[in-house]
């Protein structure tokens, strides 16, 4: 793939919007670091983020929206969360909140969780793209897995050149480190990742913030899960892939991007089925298949 670099402006944003609406990820600056942005409501587009980054696992991604009003469509704000948001948005703050029912967000973007990390970025490039596509954008830092976060378009090109179609170049980012992440998911606020806002228990801003905290960052099915199954036992719901049809298939044609896009939805479906056990067909470990297998192994071992 040829990676184009266009200077930030109307033409670049129009091209970025066209690509995003066609299901492609594009690199665009926020005030913290460059993000690799894709339509958060399109599961295949989200899968292409992981594929481009070569990430060996699926982490929940931050979902970017243009305004607090847009964020309130997706997450449940309690009073403290609403207060923090009104003080710091637009800006380098991510809030992890309970996901609102019937949200349009692809389950892969939030790794199957019932919470969502939301951010209203201040940077004009990401803001312009959000307003052009009128979709929430999932965007991790725009670097290959294991590499440091990019603060210039050249960093993105070096790390992801040949793997993404477009980088919108708006020069160096102002903050240079990733957003501060605060969870407001069960009464009180917890600092999950320190960042530019320097929110901590000493801070005036941090009234009621416990730091640093850990959230359950992985969805776990409630049933035993068997891997590399060629066929179902009588008490199993079988998730198929390729030649193994199953009750439902991750991808009948053996397409790994499609399989990643369907993974969490099918785990939830299997969990909700009347069968007491879940089995999953073998999935090859190449490319994004490594992340799928990592996730399946965790799902198999996480419940005791
Ligand atoms: O500044 C930033 O935050 C940049 C720019 C592009 O916005 N983005 C970024 O994304 O750093 P990423 O994917 O590198 O980091 C996202 C982290 C995850 O690793 C996870 O720790 C946390 O955000 N996160 C997102 N959603 C979460 C959730 N529902 N529950 C817990 N943690 C969550
Ligand atoms: Mg990162």
């Amino acid at each position: 793939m040829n990676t184009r670099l266009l200077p930030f402006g109307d033409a670049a944003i129009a091209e970025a919007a066209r690509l995003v609406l066609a299901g492609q990820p594009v690199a665009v600056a926020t005030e913290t670091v460059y993000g690799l942005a894709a339509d958060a409501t399109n599961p295949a587009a989200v899968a292409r983020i992981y594929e481009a980054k070569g990430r060996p696992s699926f982490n929940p991604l931050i979902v970017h929206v243009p305004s607090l009003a847009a964020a309130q469509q997706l997450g449940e704000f309690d009073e403290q969360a609403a207060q923090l948001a009104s003080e710091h948005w637009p800006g380098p703050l991510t809030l992890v909140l309970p996901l609102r029912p019937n949200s349009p967000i692809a389950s892969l973007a939030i790794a199957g969780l019932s919470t969502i990390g939301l951010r209203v970025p201040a940077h004009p490039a990401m803001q312009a793209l959000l307003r052009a596509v009128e979709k929430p954008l999932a965007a991790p830092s725009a670097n290959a897995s294991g590499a440091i976060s990019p603060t210039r378009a050249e960093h993105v090109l070096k790390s992801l050149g040949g793997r993404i179609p477009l980088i919108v170049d708006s020069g160096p980012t102002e903050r240079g480190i990733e957003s501060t992440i605060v969870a407001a998911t069960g009464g009180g606020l917890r600092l999950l990742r320190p960042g530019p806002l320097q929110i901590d228990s000493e801070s005036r801003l941090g009234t009621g913030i416990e730091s640093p905290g850990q959230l359950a960052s992985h969805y776990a099915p409630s049933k035993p899960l068997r891997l590399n199954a060629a066929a179902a036992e009588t008490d199993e719901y079988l998730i198929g892939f390729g030649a193994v049809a199953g009750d439902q298939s991750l991808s009948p044609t053996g397409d790994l991007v499609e399989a990643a896009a369907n993974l969490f939805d099918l785990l939830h479906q299997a969990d909700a089925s009347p069968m007491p056990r879940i089995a999953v067909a073998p999935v090859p470990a190449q490319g994004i298949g490594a992340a799928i297998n990592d996730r399946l192994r965790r799902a198999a071992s996480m419940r005791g």
Side-chain angles (χ1 to χ4, degrees):
M1 183 185 295
N2 174 39
T3 301
R4 276 175 304 156
L5 214 140
L6 295 175
F8 172 46
D10 290 349
I13 293 301
E15 180 58 6
R18 188 187 68 76
L19 287 163
V20 165
L21 293 174
Q24 295 297 319
V26 302
V28 60
T30 76
E31 66 275 35
T32 57
V33 300
Y34 276 74
L36 184 60
D39 179 355
T41 68
N42 176 343
V46 175
R48 289 189 192 102
I49 292 177
Y50 292 104
E51 187 188 42
K53 283 179 66 87
R55 221 176 210 184
S57 63
F58 296 122
N59 293 331
L61 303 177
I62 295 170
V63 175
H64 299 69
V65 290
S67 64
L68 174 58
Q72 284 167 330
Q73 305 286 307
L74 301 175
E76 305 269 16
F77 286 72
D78 64 16
E79 221 171 283
Q80 282 179 299
Q83 177 69 24
L84 257 196
S86 66
E87 285 172 13
H88 296 289
W89 280 350
L93 169 71
T94 295
L95 283 171
V96 174
L97 303 169
L99 184 67
R100 284 190 65 169
N102 306 318
S103 129
I105 299 298
S107 62
L108 184 62
I110 53 176
L113 297 171
S114 54
T115 57
I116 183 168
L118 287 166
R119 168 151 124 80
V120 177
H123 196 285
M126 181 63 107
Q127 273 287 339
L129 185 57
L130 284 164
R131 290 178 192 277
V133 296
E134 298 185 314
K135 303 271 189 192
L137 294 173
S141 52
N143 52 275
S145 177
I148 55 164
S149 291
T151 57
R152 294 173 177 273
E154 299 78 53
H155 299 162
V156 181
L157 188 62
K158 217 171 152 189
S159 195
L160 295 179
R163 306 177 68 93
I164 58 173
L166 177 65
I167 302 167
V168 178
D169 184 357
S170 43
T173 61
E174 185 191 332
R175 303 284 193 149
I177 57 169
E178 295 93 338
S179 62
T180 302
I181 304 182
V182 174
T185 50
L189 302 173
R190 273 163 301 157
L191 182 63
L192 297 187
R193 180 173 76 183
L197 291 185
Q198 301 294 320
I199 293 176
D200 59 44
S201 46
E202 324 284 297
S203 157
R204 179 186 68 79
L205 304 168
T207 42
I209 290 191
E210 302 164 30
S211 68
Q214 272 293 314
L215 268 195
S217 61
H218 288 284
Y219 161 72
S222 65
K223 298 173 182 175
L225 189 144
R226 183 168 69 90
L227 304 179
N228 297 313
E233 306 286 338
T234 50
D235 63 346
E236 285 176 337
Y237 182 100
L238 178 61
I239 298 177
F241 177 83
V244 179
D247 293 280
Q248 292 278 343
S249 179
L250 290 166
S251 169
T253 60
D255 176 334
L256 289 168
V257 168
E258 183 185 25
N262 287 329
L263 178 64
F264 289 101
D265 287 330
L266 290 194
L267 285 174
H268 279 287
Q269 270 187 45
D271 218 2
S273 85
M275 292 298 187
R277 307 166 88 74
I278 306 170
V280 187
V283 176
Q286 300 105 261
I288 198 172
I292 296 172
N293 278 287
D294 169 80
R295 193 65 201 78
L296 288 172
R297 277 193 299 273
R298 286 171 194 268
S301 66
M302 236 170 352
R303 79 169 287 293

